[in-house]
Amino acid sequence: MAVEIVYLREDLIPSLHQALDSVAREEIYVEKIVAPELADFESFHHKLVAQNWPDYCAVDGQRVLGWADITRPQNPRLAHRGFLGMGVISEARAQGLGSKLLAAALQHAQQIGIEKIELSVYTDNLAAIHLYRKAGFAEIGVIHHYRKHKGRYFDCLEMELFF
């Protein structure tokens, strides 16, 4: 596998959509349980790229294996903050892609003047929590019963990183 970390290109959006859908259907790592409609998904990512926000993919050829993006609030008083979203498809995990994606997104965020990155991660996602701690994120606190899906509650750990 010849995986590269690249800034999102238009031709990768359908594969990125498939990657998100794959992770979402696992129903345990991201908020969604299916990917949004492709048109809405495209619009979201076009906005990130148009505004030069971090939007990176791990790709093997034309296949997206993972992603990391950072969004900013529209309120100018909160624009110093960024919110991380990321994921890696199941067969590409435990290969260091998460670390590489996170590093690319964080470097880009710092270059465009974001001062603080925030994220939410389910408390049972130990691999992701380890990744974030290794990158320097600190724990803010736990939101209990953050999500309820199929009768099961999920707690969420909030984390932050200051540049």
Side-chain angles (χ1 to χ4, degrees):
M1 191 179 333
V3 178
E4 296 179 90
I5 306 302
V6 300
Y7 194 71
L8 182 64
R9 302 185 313 256
E10 182 73 28
D11 63 306
L12 294 174
I13 291 177
S15 183
L16 175 57
H17 184 259
Q18 290 175 341
L20 172 60
D21 193 59
S22 173
V23 174
R25 288 178 187 275
E26 292 179 74
E27 300 183 357
I28 56 175
Y29 296 112
V30 295
E31 283 299 307
K32 299 172 180 2
I33 56 172
V34 295
E37 293 295 322
L38 182 57
D40 295 335
F41 185 80
E42 287 175 330
S43 176
F44 172 78
H45 285 281
H46 286 152
K47 176 182 173 183
L48 266 65
V49 171
Q51 296 186 15
N52 190 33
W53 292 350
D55 199 359
Y56 288 87
C57 297
V59 296
D60 182 11
Q62 287 293 111
R63 184 173 182 222
V64 173
L65 305 175
W67 71 91
D69 58 59
I70 297 175
T71 58
R72 295 171 99 161
Q74 294 299 313
N75 183 333
R77 292 180 303 269
L78 304 177
H80 65 289
R81 299 163 60 197
F83 301 93
L84 176 70
M86 65 180 298
V88 176
I89 64 172
S90 62
E91 66 260 33
R93 293 183 188 137
Q95 298 175 29
L97 297 182
S99 294
K100 292 175 183 174
L101 285 162
L102 182 58
L106 292 177
Q107 181 180 25
H108 189 138
Q110 196 169 17
Q111 289 172 348
I112 62 171
I114 297 176
E115 300 170 22
K116 176 186 180 185
I117 305 297
E118 300 172 37
L119 64 86
S120 302
V121 59
Y122 294 120
T123 56
D124 55 357
N125 190 348
L126 300 180
I129 292 169
H130 176 74
L131 168 68
Y132 301 138
R133 285 180 178 149
K134 190 171 78 171
F137 282 84
E139 298 177 14
I140 299 170
V142 174
I143 301 173
H144 298 283
H145 292 197
Y146 178 82
R147 174 188 191 203
K148 185 177 182 181
H149 180 62
K150 295 184 178 176
R152 178 177 171 220
Y153 290 103
F154 293 80
D155 293 342
C156 179
L157 176 62
E158 298 288 318
M159 301 181 82
E160 65 188 1
L161 174 71
F162 291 90
F163 293 121

